[in-house]
Amino acid sequence: MQPPPAPPSPPFPASSSLLRQPRFRVFYAGRLVSLLGSSMAPVALAFAVLDASGSSQDLGVVLAAHMLPLLALLLVGGAVADRSSRRDVLVAVHLGSALTQGGVAALLLTGHYSLAPVAVLEFLNGALGAFTAPALRGVLPQLVDRTRLQQANSLLGTARNATKILGPSLSGVLVVAVGSGPAIAFDAFTYLLAAGFLARLTFTGAADPPRRRSGLAADIRDGWTEFRAIRWVWIGTLAFCLVNLAQTGTWQILGPQLTRRLSGEETWGLVLSVRGVGLLVSGLLMYRLVVRHLLRLGQLTSVLAALPLLALGARLHAPWLLGAAFVAGLGSAVTAVAWDTSLQEHVPPQVLSRVASYDELLSYVAIPVGQLCVGPLAEAYGAFRVASVAGVVSAAAAALPLASRAVRRLPHAAVPASGPGPGPGPGPGPAAEPAPAPGQAGAA
C-alpha cells in the first residue's frame, strides 16, 4: 500500500540542525524531561513499595497493575490518537500522569501508604501510558519534514537511551538522599513540565487527522485491516514478537545469573553500561547516515542484538561478553530508528497511530510470556543451553523479514528515487530512545 502524498511542510535547510527548529525543539524538550522522569520512576517506586510494605508481593501487584492496562488499552489509544488532536491527547495524558504519580508521592510523603490506593493510581498511570506511544508515533510527521524523520528519531532515540542510563542512577541517589517519596514527586513534576512544553506545539505542516463519525470499535477494526494490508509492517511486527519472546525474558532473567557465574557480579553492571554506550554511539551515527533502503539496514542490524545471549551460551568471559553487548547496542539503536522512521514515512497519516498501536501490542505481548517460560526451561534443560537456543531463535526471527521483497526494497524518503546510494546525510550531528524490540521496541 502506498500512502497518499504527504502534506507540504516548511522546508528545513539541509544544513540546519533540527534542534534549531522551534517546533521540534519544543517537542524535544518535552520528551527529554518526560523520559528523564519516567526512567527514574521504576527505581523509586520499587524502593518505596518495599520500604513501606516490606513485601515483594506488594511490589508485584503494583507493577502488574501498571502493565496490564498499558497492554489492554493500546488499541484504544491508537484509535483515539487517529481521531483526535494528537497534541491534545499528549497534553491530557501527561497532565493525568502528573496527577497519578503526584498521588502516589503524596501517600508516601504523608506516611499513608496502602497497597490498594497505590495499585489503583498505578493502574490509572498505566492506562494513560497506553495513549502515549501511538500519539507520539503519529505526531512526529506533523512536526518535521518527511526527509528529516530519520534525524528526528535519531535525536529522540539518543535522548531515550541517555535517560535510561542516567535516570536509574539519579533516582538511586535521590532515594538515598531524600527518600523515595520525593523521587516519585519529581517524576510527577516532570510530567507536568512536559505537558507545558507539549501544549506549545504548533503544526504548520501536516494537519491533525480529520474528525470521524465512526465509533471507536469500528476505528479499531479499521486499524487492524490497515495493519494487515501493509505487508512489511505485519511481517516486521511478527518478527519482533518472536524476538521478544525468545530474547527479552532470557536476557533479563538469565543474563545476570550467567554473567555472575562466568565473570563475577560486577561484570553485569559493566555489560549494561557498555550496551548503553553502543546505543548512544549508534544513535549519533544515525543522525548523519543515509541509505537507500533504511528498513533493510534496520532488519540486518537487529540480528546483532542476539550476540550477548550467544556469548553467554558459549560460556565466553568478560571481554567477549562486553564486546558483544556493545555491538548489540549499536544494532538495536539502528533498528529502532529504522523501524520508527519507516512507519512514519510510509503508513498513511490518518491511520498511523492505529497501525502503530497494533505494532506495539503484538511486539510487547510476547515479553511476559517469555519471562514466565524461561525459568522452567532453564531448570529443565540448563541455563547455558537455553541462552544459546534463545540467541539462535531471536537471530533467525530478526533475519526472517529479509526474505520478503516488501521489506528489502522499501525506499527511504531521505534518498530520492534517482538519488545517490549510501553516504553521509545532511546536517551536523547532535551536540549531545533492549529495551524490547521495535514496537518501539529494539531487542533488549
Side-chain angles (χ1 to χ4, degrees):
M1 170 185 295
Q2 293 297 323
S9 59
F12 295 150
S15 60
S16 87
S17 168
L18 278 176
L19 291 177
R20 295 178 183 173
Q21 307 304 322
R23 287 181 293 144
F24 181 75
R25 186 167 62 241
V26 168
F27 177 72
Y28 187 77
R31 290 302 297 146
L32 183 61
V33 169
S34 179
L35 287 167
L36 178 61
S38 297
S39 68
M40 296 172 60
V43 174
L45 184 64
F47 281 114
V49 173
L50 290 174
D51 289 344
S53 68
S55 169
S56 58
Q57 184 175 351
D58 274 25
L59 179 58
V61 170
V62 169
L63 295 178
H66 180 88
M67 179 57 66
L68 290 176
L70 180 62
L71 292 174
L73 294 175
L74 264 174
L75 301 184
V76 177
V80 169
D82 271 344
R83 63 191 289 137
S84 311
S85 164
R86 290 170 177 136
R87 175 188 58 197
D88 292 348
V89 170
L90 289 171
V91 171
V93 163
H94 280 76
L95 289 175
S97 297
L99 288 174
T100 56
Q101 290 298 80
V104 174
L107 289 172
L108 295 171
L109 290 170
T110 58
H112 289 87
Y113 168 84
S114 177
L115 175 60
V118 170
V120 168
L121 287 168
E122 286 302 315
F123 180 92
L124 294 174
N125 190 266
L128 290 165
F131 293 80
T132 305
L136 286 172
R137 286 271 186 79
V139 82
L140 193 59
Q142 299 176 247
L143 295 171
V144 302
D145 187 85
R146 190 164 175 256
T147 60
R148 306 295 296 273
L149 284 169
Q150 178 185 330
Q151 293 178 325
N153 282 311
S154 174
L155 287 171
L156 291 167
T158 300
R160 182 169 53 249
N161 293 325
T163 55
K164 284 181 180 179
I165 296 172
L166 176 63
S169 300
L170 181 58
S171 182
V173 171
L174 279 177
V175 169
V176 172
V178 296
S180 51
I184 295 178
F186 178 79
D187 181 38
F189 173 72
T190 62
Y191 276 120
L192 192 62
L193 189 58
F197 280 115
L198 294 170
R200 295 169 54 196
L201 290 180
T202 57
F203 304 134
T204 56
D208 272 318
R211 307 278 178 171
R212 289 189 304 280
R213 297 180 180 178
S214 57
L216 200 63
D219 283 352
I220 293 173
R221 290 194 299 270
D222 289 345
W224 174 246
T225 300
E226 295 288 344
F227 175 83
R228 289 188 304 159
I230 308 175
R231 183 176 178 82
W232 65 266
V233 172
W234 66 258
I235 290 175
T237 300
L238 177 61
F240 293 135
C241 178
L242 294 174
V243 168
N244 285 334
L245 178 66
Q247 184 181 123
T248 305
T250 308
W251 178 246
Q252 292 174 344
I253 295 170
L254 297 186
Q257 172 190 337
L258 298 184
T259 301
R260 180 174 59 184
R261 290 170 61 179
L262 291 169
S263 305
E265 291 185 0
E266 68 283 356
T267 305
W268 179 244
L270 288 175
V271 167
L272 296 181
S273 297
V274 167
R275 185 181 181 278
V277 172
L279 288 167
L280 291 175
V281 170
S282 186
L284 296 175
L285 291 175
M286 287 300 291
Y287 189 88
R288 296 183 62 92
L289 180 67
V290 176
V291 294
R292 188 183 300 279
H293 300 290
L294 181 61
L295 183 61
R296 180 199 298 174
L297 175 65
Q299 290 301 144
L300 283 169
T301 58
S302 68
V303 177
L304 301 176
L307 289 178
L309 283 180
L310 295 174
L312 286 175
R315 301 174 187 258
L316 300 180
H317 291 281
W320 291 100
L321 183 57
L322 292 171
F326 178 76
V327 174
L330 291 175
S332 295
V334 174
T335 302
V337 171
W339 183 254
D340 282 348
T341 302
S342 297
L343 284 174
Q344 292 157 351
E345 287 178 351
H346 295 283
V347 176
Q350 67 271 18
V351 296
L352 176 54
S353 291
R354 279 173 289 170
V355 170
S357 69
Y358 277 101
D359 164 43
E360 293 272 349
L361 178 62
L362 297 177
S363 295
Y364 283 119
V365 75
I367 294 176
V369 178
Q371 290 170 330
L372 291 172
C373 292
V374 67
L377 288 173
E379 290 184 7
Y381 300 104
F384 286 105
R385 181 176 297 175
V386 169
S388 295
V389 172
V392 170
V393 170
S394 61
L400 184 63
L402 293 169
S404 169
R405 179 181 174 85
V407 172
R408 296 195 311 272
R409 304 302 298 172
L410 190 75
H412 179 25
V415 180
S418 58
E433 152 171 210
Q440 193 87 344

